[in-house]
Amino acid sequence: MTSGPGWSLHPDRALPSDPVVRPLAREILAATERLPIVSMHGHVDAGVLARDEPFADPASLLVIPDHYLVRMLVSQGVPHDDLGVPRLDGGAVQTDPREIWRTFASRWHLFRGTPTRYWLEHVLVDVFGVDERPSADSADRLYDHLADRLAAPEFRPRALFDRFGIEVLSTTDAATSTLADHAALAADGWRDRVVPTFRPDALFHVDRAAWRDDLRLLEERSGIAIHGYPDFVRAVEARRATFVAAGARSSDHGHLSADATPLSVREAGRVFDEARLGTVSAADAAAFSAHMLFETARMASEDGLVLQLHPGVLRDHDHGVVGVRGPDVGYDIPVPTDYVHGLRPLLEAFGHHPGLRMVLFTVDEDTFSRELAPLAGVYPAVRLGAPWWFLDTPDGMRRFREAVTDTAGFYNTTGFVDDTRAFCSIPARHDLARRVDAGHLARLVAEHRLDLDEAIETAVDLAYRIPREAYASRTTASAYQNA
Amino acid sequence: MTSGPGWSLHPDRALPSDPVVRPLAREILAATERLPIVSMHGHVDAGVLARDEPFADPASLLVIPDHYLVRMLVSQGVPHDDLGVPRLDGGAVQTDPREIWRTFASRWHLFRGTPTRYWLEHVLVDVFGVDERPSADSADRLYDHLADRLAAPEFRPRALFDRFGIEVLSTTDAATSTLADHAALAADGWRDRVVPTFRPDALFHVDRAAWRDDLRLLEERSGIAIHGYPDFVRAVEARRATFVAAGARSSDHGHLSADATPLSVREAGRVFDEARLGTVSAADAAAFSAHMLFETARMASEDGLVLQLHPGVLRDHDHGVVGVRGPDVGYDIPVPTDYVHGLRPLLEAFGHHPGLRMVLFTVDEDTFSRELAPLAGVYPAVRLGAPWWFLDTPDGMRRFREAVTDTAGFYNTTGFVDDTRAFCSIPARHDLARRVDAGHLARLVAEHRLDLDEAIETAVDLAYRIPREAYASRTTASAYQNA
Amino acid sequence: MTSGPGWSLHPDRALPSDPVVRPLAREILAATERLPIVSMHGHVDAGVLARDEPFADPASLLVIPDHYLVRMLVSQGVPHDDLGVPRLDGGAVQTDPREIWRTFASRWHLFRGTPTRYWLEHVLVDVFGVDERPSADSADRLYDHLADRLAAPEFRPRALFDRFGIEVLSTTDAATSTLADHAALAADGWRDRVVPTFRPDALFHVDRAAWRDDLRLLEERSGIAIHGYPDFVRAVEARRATFVAAGARSSDHGHLSADATPLSVREAGRVFDEARLGTVSAADAAAFSAHMLFETARMASEDGLVLQLHPGVLRDHDHGVVGVRGPDVGYDIPVPTDYVHGLRPLLEAFGHHPGLRMVLFTVDEDTFSRELAPLAGVYPAVRLGAPWWFLDTPDGMRRFREAVTDTAGFYNTTGFVDDTRAFCSIPARHDLARRVDAGHLARLVAEHRLDLDEAIETAVDLAYRIPREAYASRTTASAYQNA
């Protein structure tokens, strides 16, 4: 990679530099580079693919919705307003996409050493054919170049989807979603290419301000009148069935803790009723969330949806900013997570159930070797998702492999799961994960801890076979295990 | 290493691949490769060596008793029954060792990248002369090969002990053990080669179901009638004296936390009496365990037994499995450990006592640089044991050295302590530790942070001199320090 | 480096050994090697520079006051007395500096692999021209050599300050300091070269035995009669103003936790009054400390002093030793730190205030990726200080960069901050930090994650521009950000 015209992606990028390891890593990488992308968890809007309209402009595609990028610029004193992040009160923010792009491009140096830099470089060079580094000087040229490309038919969402080699993409959808976009995609023959994921967080965290609105929506979408907790459970189950019918493979759960302690039906009912009255305490609401996590494992053991848990993030650290901008503008901060005590009731009940597949994610790397690998290394229901969010980085992925493989091996992980919001970065993120895994495996070969044929087979498994298997129906999964 | 006939151990295995570091690592390793093995902590059954009978078969030697191996297979859906792990109710499990071996061998790929793989490969190739990788195809050939070897006199326990170059082996023995096997070994002239370790956990955790049975056994073995807490302490001290007389160098303590807060004699007596009545609370039982840890430090400062503490493991995470199979079948999971507050009373009382040597182990690597190295780096009584259990791996040992050496140096660690259950893997584990230490030291030399002569001397110290010294009587130890 | 005559510093020391990375690291290092030293946090006594008298002897310069060195020797059984560490009761300790030096030199091997070894080697070879390794044999020769040098004019403090290339040095000074030494330095034209740092810990931790004495001193120095909490705040603000006038750039705060929850004025007043009566509870005292941290952020947002927070150290772990020797003799041990909840009230109130710059340090590396990088990566007021104390090591600094850069980038860190007590080690510590950063950046270049020109610019920024900017007045800082 060089600055100015000629900027390009180096074929050895993100591979270890050690001259013994690198040739091995290249050879391992070669086996996975052209495999299809299996993207089983992400936040791409299904509507974008359903409508397949051209993307609007470079800033609204690449800058404004990318919380990684926004938070870094904010941390260095750029106001949210200047980045076009909308205000809840509708107050004025920058609306000129070219200005927003300039604000970003002139601060390219801030991203040195970050995964954002790696992904964006891949997107700019490989997806859009940019050949010079962003800077105050190049900002306008790049903007014009990108805008020009976005207008072309081959840069529409479905064309990019094909070009990216995506075999299947899971979106993330509220439990109360109509799934209309997925229906439209299915009508176009895309049923198995874009599948929904069942996300009931809004319903399970019963002290949210909008919870009662969401509850009414659940009644409407499920067609079940909810008079109490038992109806609520039936309605949730009905929605899960709808998602399953639409091709969903998994549910997704964001909780502050990993607690999954069940309540008695009577106690769950009491908390539910208080929530309906708006009098629920924070402690009761947390207990209800934990209970619903346990219930989700029970449901999953029956309907086969893979249970993805993303715990340990304190949302909305700065109430002031969130009050002005709403959630998801960069103020979600990880906290320590106790998987061992938290998940114990769930795992005692369902950890050996052939119907349950549970995928654990973390942003607390302290738990890699202490908790996650030991749990995944014994409970058949548990798999470890890829290092998530702040840890979805070259060094984070390397540390993950170095810490969890000892006890969990490779086959109790899910392979790469991307969690992408920025559609165009999907190939960049999978590319990076394959490179990091190739580098890790190459090191094992170079240290004579693994044979090269094993390393190559494992790389292919991690890139393609394992994620497919991890998110397959449990029947298929069992067949695989016994193959 | 290659698959199929010709499978062998690479002389550079587990050494860093960096072409500058590797030759240095080889040179450092050469100084330690043929040193005797000092194995000061492990779980080999002394009876195996006392009886010196041939091992029964490959599965009962290498598969069934190895919790690392069992838990990995279980995690991938293999039922305990298929692995021959017995049920407490005597229900049917697989008893054909060949079938169990096949179940294992056909899943060899699951162990890629794990220390189990490294150790087993060493055992198969180096101890048993196997020359092809385990697989569904090779399983029967390997089984026959191994069974054949096990029948030969040179594969009896004592012959292997000699061949492995073990200078001294510490076993782990209940405080109420008769030490009959050690007596038999002593009668055969093996007194200094196989020594017992005093493990009183069963007596110190007073809410265990079988505690009162163990207490009666303590009375019987100590010859002291136990009417209350003071008698209990005297009986424990008497047993320690018996162990010392039998050559023991250390005691070993598994606790959930590192708490060592003493109780008053009156309060300890109250809890003890409640435990005898079967009415002790969990909180009181935990307080009594903590008190007995403090008392153990007091006793150790008087009789010189090295105090080994293994805290931070939640035993029996899944009550259901443990109810069916009993403990030690893979469901012990690490939890965060607070050494700083927990050990404070003990260290304030005995941390500078010339008679105390305390060796701290951990499965919570978050404490490496934050707590363990700072404590060992100031209290003369404290040494850091090798990274334990889930951390006894190439990368775990590397991270340990990289994190604790800064503050504790090399000489506040104990060198390698193996904690082995699988007798045949003892040389593999020491071999691996010496390689990792050679690699770490070689990196320091390559980065001009250490001279080569210093690195070689340190490697020898870590492999041989320091473990001997760390577990020597405190008189000898003091002499060493001032040498 | 070799032993015996010819001992010298290798030009590639502490650079990665990888033959691809090292030449890049050399090139990057070359850009920073001769930059001036900006030392914005340390514990050098301003009086040493004000008086500019020769240092007394090798032991009192290099051994006795260095807690890193003392604690390692103590951990290996050397009594404090033998190291000349004074007793509060005035009891006899070793006073012969040559004997103390011998005790240290004969145990040189204990420091293998530690940063102390790296720094001392640099000091001995580069500052004092020593050409053989310390040992029992060489101890006297080295002592004579060092004593001879210390008598020469070019080894007086100010001469060394010039030779070290120090542009500016911040000392650490009690809030009640007269700043007489700084005034003397200013009179000699050194006003901008040696600046004070405002450290009010003694006043903020109101359950300290000597707190009321310190409060009286505050009245005296501020000229404000303190009848209650509001006067206390005014007096603190007055002292800050005095420090600002004397050139101070920052305040420094050592707290057990990162809690910054404000109290009401009424509640703060109640606790303050109880403290004056000597009846304050530990919990109230902790709450008051947290409150004063919040108040400090408020004051900083007004007067522009950078707020440095050093939390998470349990002081005086062994009351017995501290009772005999006083604090700072090696018994301060890190504990887990919760930055996320602790700092929340402060950051909600001032995290986006253009007047606040807060620098966070840690000795709990578990928080690198989980808490510190996510907080610094979004709040504009926050920067991450260099890895501190037990983590100020080659591997600690490497892990810091590898863990925080992903989310915080380079530009939300402060560059290197040395925290030195040992004056002569300042160049060694900055040299080491520049080498580690060069190695880290070189790896990014070798892995094609960064261009070489970017790496060189970043290295210069980390070594010089960022620390200057991070501790500049907030007005200057804003200008820089928008440059």
Side-chain angles (χ1 to χ4, degrees), chain A residues 340 348 352 369 411 448 451, chain B residues 1 133 317 319 331 365:
Chain A
V340 176
E348 291 196 318
H352 296 79
S369 71
Y411 293 86
H448 307 285
D451 292 341
Chain B
M1 130 194 17
R133 280 206 301 234
H317 192 261
H319 292 111
Y331 293 80
E365 63 178 303

Side-chain angles (χ1 to χ4, degrees), chain A residues 18-21 338-341 343-345 347-349 351-352 364-367 369-371 373-383 398-399 401-403 405-413 440 443-444 446-451 453-455 457-458 461 480-482, chain B residues 1-3 7 10 12-19 22 71-78 80 107-110 112-118 121 133 314-321 329-337 363-366 370 390-391 393-396 398-399:
Chain A
D18 180 322
V20 177
V21 176
D338 173 0
Y339 292 88
V340 176
H341 296 94
L343 293 178
R344 192 178 197 175
L347 291 174
E348 291 196 318
H352 296 79
D364 177 8
E365 64 178 304
D366 301 351
T367 63
S369 71
R370 188 184 61 217
E371 304 182 19
L375 288 170
V378 71
Y379 282 105
V382 176
R383 293 291 182 272
R398 175 179 56 76
R399 291 195 299 271
R401 288 281 175 227
E402 291 179 0
T405 309
D406 290 330
T407 297
F410 292 106
Y411 293 86
N412 283 312
T413 68
H440 178 71
R443 183 170 73 91
L444 295 182
E447 295 179 0
H448 307 285
R449 292 160 58 189
L450 201 64
D451 292 341
D453 67 319
E454 298 175 297
E457 187 180 281
T458 304
D461 288 348
Y480 173 88
Q481 277 177 21
N482 300 323
Chain B
M1 130 194 17
T2 61
S3 67
W7 203 40
H10 196 286
D12 289 338
R13 65 192 179 280
L15 299 183
S17 58
D18 180 321
R22 181 165 286 182
R71 73 195 312 278
M72 176 63 90
L73 294 171
V74 167
S75 78
Q76 288 278 320
V78 178
H80 283 92
R107 287 167 178 82
W108 180 244
H109 70 286
L110 298 177
R112 289 174 187 163
T114 69
T116 302
R117 151 70 179 259
Y118 183 94
E121 186 168 338
R133 280 206 301 234
L314 181 71
R315 305 281 171 174
D316 304 338
H317 192 261
D318 187 317
H319 292 111
V321 173
V329 292
Y331 293 80
D332 298 339
I333 310 285
V335 290
T337 305
V363 276
D364 176 8
E365 63 178 303
D366 300 351
R370 188 184 60 217
F390 299 111
L391 300 176
T393 74
D395 287 306
R398 175 179 54 76
R399 291 196 298 271

Side-chain angles (χ1 to χ4, degrees), chain A residues 65-112:
Chain A
D66 186 332
H67 56 72
Y68 287 98
L69 210 148
V70 166
R71 73 195 312 279
M72 176 63 91
L73 294 172
V74 167
S75 78
Q76 289 277 322
V78 178
H80 284 91
D81 285 350
D82 291 6
L83 295 167
V85 179
R87 306 173 68 100
L88 296 178
D89 66 2
V93 300
Q94 179 58 258
T95 54
D96 179 356
R98 185 181 292 270
E99 271 306 317
I100 294 168
W101 178 259
R102 284 175 184 153
T103 296
F104 155 68
S106 63
R107 286 166 180 82
W108 180 245
H109 70 286
L110 298 178
F111 297 93
R112 289 174 187 165

